[in-house]
């Protein structure tokens, strides 16, 4: 049987060109969907018509325009359509699309996933997660001939394979891309490089682990009740990431990455925010730091604090309060976002005491209300801090369990950048390689 999971990430640039031509023959005009193979589109149109039509509706909003604002919107629409198709494509199983027959008219697609065996599949090292940290670790381990296996997740933590970056539009602060690059496209390149060096990638989520024994045991999602694990490994690298807390305000989905963000350092310098009034939600150190950072680009920054005082440290609170380009609005919370359908233009605010509402003009809203690390799977086995992040030995990616390493945002509550995640992914691979060489020299 042929699997269609993760199909959007397995195309070369030549295949994408062929897909554009082939997609034009479909009943819906999906020829501008980025990085989506014709096999995925064809299968999706017949097996998941509602998701297919949602992607089409999104795609039909894409149009050519000479303005920067419209090009930004077009990119966002393409990214949304891509996410719909690739996520639905990942959900499609071989049972619903292909049979064991060799019918020539059935779409076929290369997959890096071998069939699931009835007995546990053993690997030297398994990577759980598929963001910059996970793929960087995979590249290093594969080049060291350790044959890494990656579980990139099927909508794990609410994200498509590739993690948080698949939800972003322009990434302008990652070295090597002077013109910027779409988040989803960048993660495609990461994945292609992992596969090139021999990483085996499963588009499945790990639902249960036992990291306390050797070999370590892993159960794929849906198999957690089985006594036998689906997979075993001598070493495990955890790169499951974290997700920013959002408020899910009315209009938020429309203006996400079109005025609303959860990372000032990532997005604060983009043109739509320059010399414009911006708002930051939060009252802690992160909110204070992000607000001060945004003053470099904004005409003014409003800090929206639900309580009557800041939770930030005294130093940061004083810095924020004394900044000439900052206004702190206490007892204030946003309750609605408004715009022109393309970009955010204003916020409706509510006084948390009197419940009175008012509207202010802002072109950007930045959430600084915390992140949630994807570590629930490891509670009771790995040492976590008070916020749920995995504790690592300073200067390394080692955890409290031998052979288990953590990389990326799952262990980094301070920087949370793609480039720092990639760096810790490299560290985790090197730490794992040395650990395996010391404890399993016969396999190295």
């Amino acid at each position: 049987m042929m699997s269609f999971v993760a199909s959007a990430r397995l195309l070369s640039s030549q295949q994408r060109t062929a897909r554009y031509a082939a997609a034009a023959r479909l009943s819906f005009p999906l020829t501008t969907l980025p990085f989506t193979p014709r096999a995925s589109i064809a299968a999706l149109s017949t097996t998941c018509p509602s998701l297919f039509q949602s992607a089409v509706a999104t795609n039909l909003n894409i149009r050519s325009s000479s303005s920067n604002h419209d090009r930004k919107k077009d990119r966002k629409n393409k990214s949304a359509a891509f996410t719909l198709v690739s996520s639905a494509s990942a959900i499609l199983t071989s049972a619903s699309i292909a049979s064991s027959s060799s019918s020539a008219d059935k779409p076929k697609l290369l997959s890096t996933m071998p069939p699931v065996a009835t007995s546990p599949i053993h690997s030297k090292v398994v990577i759980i997660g598929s963001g910059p940290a996970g793929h960087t670790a995979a590249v290093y381990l594969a080049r060291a001939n350790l044959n890494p296996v990656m579980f990139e997740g099927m909508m794990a933590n609410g994200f498509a394979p590739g993690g948080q970056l698949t939800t972003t539009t322009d990434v302008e602060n990652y070295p090597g891309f002077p013109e910027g690059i779409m988040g989803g496209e960048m993660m495609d390149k990461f994945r292609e490089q992992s596969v090139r060096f021999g990483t085996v990638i499963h588009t499945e989520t790990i639902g249960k682990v036992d990291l306390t024994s050797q070999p370590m045991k892993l159960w794929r999602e849906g198999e957690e009740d089985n006594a036998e694990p689906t997979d075993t490994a001598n070493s495990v690298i955890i790169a499951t990431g974290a997700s920013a807390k959002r408020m899910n305000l009315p209009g938020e989905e429309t203006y996400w990455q079109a005025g609303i963000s959860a990372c000032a350092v990532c997005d604060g310098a983009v043109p739509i925010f320059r010399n414009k009034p911006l708002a930051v939600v939060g009252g802690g150190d992160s909110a204070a730091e992000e607000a001060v950072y945004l003053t470099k680009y904004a005409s003014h920054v409003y800090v929206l604090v639900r309580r009557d005082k800041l939770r930030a440290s005294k130093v940061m609170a004083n810095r924020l309060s004394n900044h000439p380009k900052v206004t702190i609005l206490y007892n204030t919370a946003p309750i609605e976002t408004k715009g022109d359908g393309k970009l955010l233009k204003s916020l409706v605010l509510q006084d948390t005491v009197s419940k009175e509402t008012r509207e202010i003009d802002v072109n950007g809203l930045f959430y600084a209300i915390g992140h949630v690390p994807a570590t629930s799977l490891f509670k009771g086995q790995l040492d976590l801090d008070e916020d749920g992040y995995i504790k690592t030995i300073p200067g390394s990616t080692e955890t409290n369990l031998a052979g288990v390493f953590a990389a990326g945002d799952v262990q980094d509550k301070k920087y949370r950048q793609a480039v720092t995640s990639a760096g810790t992914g490299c560290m985790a691979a090197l730490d794992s390689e040395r650990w395996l060489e010391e404890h399993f020299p016969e396999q190295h």
Side-chain angles (χ1 to χ4, degrees), residues 156-417:
N157 205 29
F159 297 115
Q164 289 189 78
L165 278 175
T166 62
T167 69
T168 66
T169 51
D170 290 317
V171 178
E172 298 181 326
N173 58 357
Y174 198 93
F177 301 99
E179 301 301 320
I181 185 171
M182 296 285 285
E185 183 182 359
M186 187 168 84
M187 292 318 303
D188 267 359
K189 293 181 180 294
F190 271 68
R191 192 183 196 277
E192 289 168 7
Q193 191 170 0
S194 294
V195 171
R196 175 194 169 197
F197 288 109
T199 303
V200 173
I201 300 179
H202 299 277
T203 309
E204 294 185 71
T205 302
I206 293 297
K208 177 183 173 183
V209 297
D210 178 1
L211 305 176
T212 61
S213 61
Q214 190 59 244
M216 301 173 198
K217 303 178 180 67
L218 302 92
W219 286 260
R220 305 185 191 193
E221 200 170 64
E223 306 290 334
E224 298 93 333
D225 293 334
N226 295 342
E228 283 289 307
T230 56
D231 300 83
T232 60
N234 296 124
S235 179
V236 171
I237 292 176
I238 299 169
T240 48
S243 56
K245 294 179 181 178
R246 293 169 58 171
M247 298 186 69
N248 300 310
L249 301 173
E252 182 172 315
E253 287 303 318
T254 300
Y255 300 112
W256 184 254
Q257 296 298 324
I260 305 178
S261 169
C263 182
V265 175
C266 309
D267 301 327
V270 302
I272 62 172
F273 298 132
R274 288 182 178 271
N275 301 311
K276 301 290 177 59
L278 308 175
V280 174
V281 180
D285 280 341
S286 294
E289 290 171 2
E290 298 219 344
V292 171
Y293 177 83
L294 289 171
T295 59
K296 300 176 183 179
Y297 310 105
S299 60
H300 198 79
V301 178
Y302 297 96
V303 179
L304 312 180
V305 185
R306 291 187 61 88
R307 302 164 58 185
D308 59 358
K309 61 181 179 181
L310 294 168
R311 292 182 293 104
S313 63
K314 187 174 182 180
V315 171
M316 286 305 303
N318 288 339
R319 185 180 303 173
L320 191 67
S321 301
N322 295 326
H323 201 289
K325 293 177 72 174
V326 172
T327 297
I328 303 174
L329 301 177
Y330 293 105
N331 297 321
T332 301
I335 59 172
E336 185 180 358
T337 63
K338 293 184 176 183
D340 59 6
K342 300 176 183 178
L343 294 172
L344 180 72
K345 297 296 182 181
S346 66
L347 293 176
V348 178
L349 306 180
Q350 183 179 62
D351 188 297
T352 58
V353 178
S354 68
K355 306 304 179 183
E356 294 179 356
T357 61
R358 60 177 172 134
E359 190 170 335
I360 63 170
D361 294 333
V362 295
N363 294 86
L365 172 63
F366 291 83
Y367 289 146
I369 52 178
H371 286 70
V372 180
T375 55
S376 59
L377 183 64
F378 314 108
K379 287 181 179 178
Q381 298 184 54
L382 293 180
D383 288 343
L384 309 178
D385 70 8
E386 65 277 5
D387 296 316
Y389 289 85
I390 296 175
K391 290 183 178 180
T392 55
I393 296 174
S396 79
T397 60
E398 297 175 37
T399 68
N400 61 296
L401 295 180
V404 181
F405 306 91
D409 287 5
V410 76
Q411 54 84 54
D412 173 23
K413 63 166 63 176
K414 182 176 182 180
Y415 298 105
R416 298 193 297 264
Q417 300 298 303

